[in-house]
Amino acid sequence: MKDYQSLLEEIYAQLKSSVGLGQVADYIPALAAVSPDKFAIAIETVDGQQFQVGDAQERFSIQSISKVFNLTLGMKLSGDTLWQRVGVEPSGNPFNSLIQLELNKGIPRNPFINAGALVIIDSLLDSLEQPNKEMLNFVRKLRCQDVFYDDLVAASERETAFTNLALANYMKGQNNLRHAVQDVLEVYCYQCAINMSCAGLARSFLYLANGGVVPASGEVMVASNQAKRINALMMTSGFYDEAGEFAYRVGLPGKSGVGGGIVAVVPGELSIAVWSPELNDHGNSVRGIMALEEFTSLTGRSVF
Ligand code: GLN
């Protein structure tokens, strides 16, 4: 049994004053208002131990981290047919790149860029009557009850969704969206507006550290082969055009969001979530990456 508490406290103390190194997301007022000082790290192990430091119980906007939940449910419902409509290659481009989508003829490079997530959501609309409600139920099955939509963030997402609308319209024109653009966008905006805490995020990702099975309940969320694939996609594409840098510095499958959250998985052992709102130019949390780099450097717990 490993005691990570003192390690988290050490990393926290070391990075506590590392603010001013990036910019809090400001494309919507609800995100711009978050204090840059917020900082939390949480670990939960597959055998149920929890370690936390900082603002680990405070909910924040998980933004694109929800793309992992969307993909998991999409793979469960649609299986391999998904891969006819979305690729599995790193994008090497910003998460909302229009130029790349055009070059790829409306087939997004992977499910974690915005265009890819829009396709996954389109696939969810094939079988789910109430996708937003189902998604919350899905996260609650991951043993995280403290999960809600922030209606204010969802409304702001909708009001500023010009680029996402352009991506969706382009894919509709290329016959890669089955449902109405507005319907897909509406669900997408809500998925960006999921609020969870660091502790909740760490817990909810445990199924990916445990071959697709929620450790506490034994519920199979996806087959182990699919969990392997989701982890592989997080490793190669979870950080957009910074995926290589994250793999190089941290060496874990993970996913970021512009709310400043990052969650990463040590297969077979634990998941770890970090929240620090200041972002670098790629839209990834500056201090979040620093904290995870320290974690894997000090523990040797990377997949490499
Ligand atoms: N709401 C953001 C968008 O759609 C999500 C992007 C992100 O977290 N990387 O652009």
Side-chain angles (χ1 to χ4, degrees), residues 40-168:
I41 316 174
I43 286 177
E44 188 156 334
T45 63
V46 291
D47 55 10
Q49 299 173 79
Q50 297 165 30
F51 308 97
Q52 299 169 15
V53 67
D55 308 304
Q57 296 290 339
E58 186 172 329
R59 280 188 272 124
F60 63 95
S61 188
I62 71 164
Q63 292 287 322
S64 286
I65 296 174
S66 63
K67 292 178 170 64
V68 180
F69 299 140
N70 297 166
L71 176 65
T72 304
L73 200 51
M75 284 170 80
K76 205 178 162 85
L77 295 172
S78 304
D80 283 342
T81 58
L82 271 184
W83 308 121
Q84 292 160 13
R85 308 173 59 195
V86 58
V88 295
E89 295 299 336
S91 65
N93 272 299
F95 56 76
N96 53 5
S97 174
L98 284 160
I99 194 164
Q100 184 169 54
L101 189 64
E102 188 173 8
L103 290 172
N104 293 160
K105 298 190 168 54
I107 309 283
R109 296 277 285 199
N110 66 64
F112 294 149
I113 51 175
N114 291 11
L118 289 162
V119 169
I120 300 297
I121 286 169
D122 186 61
S123 80
L124 294 178
L125 295 181
D126 288 345
S127 38
L128 300 179
E129 290 271 315
Q130 296 177 287
N132 289 333
K133 194 170 162 214
E134 300 272 358
M135 197 52 67
L136 284 196
N137 286 342
F138 175 84
V139 179
R140 292 191 173 128
K141 281 187 193 163
L142 303 174
R143 313 289 286 182
C144 176
Q145 301 304 316
D146 192 22
V147 54
F148 300 95
Y149 290 113
D150 184 328
D151 290 320
L152 206 68
V153 172
S156 299
E157 294 284 350
R158 199 184 297 123
E159 279 158 26
T160 58
F162 307 109
T163 308
N164 289 325
L165 264 170
L167 293 166

Side-chain angles (χ1 to χ4, degrees), residues 260-282:
I262 299 180
V263 59
V265 164
V266 181
E269 190 183 349
L270 57 83
S271 79
I272 177 167
V274 187
W275 175 40
S276 175
E278 287 186 339
L279 309 176
N280 61 23
D281 290 345
H282 307 282

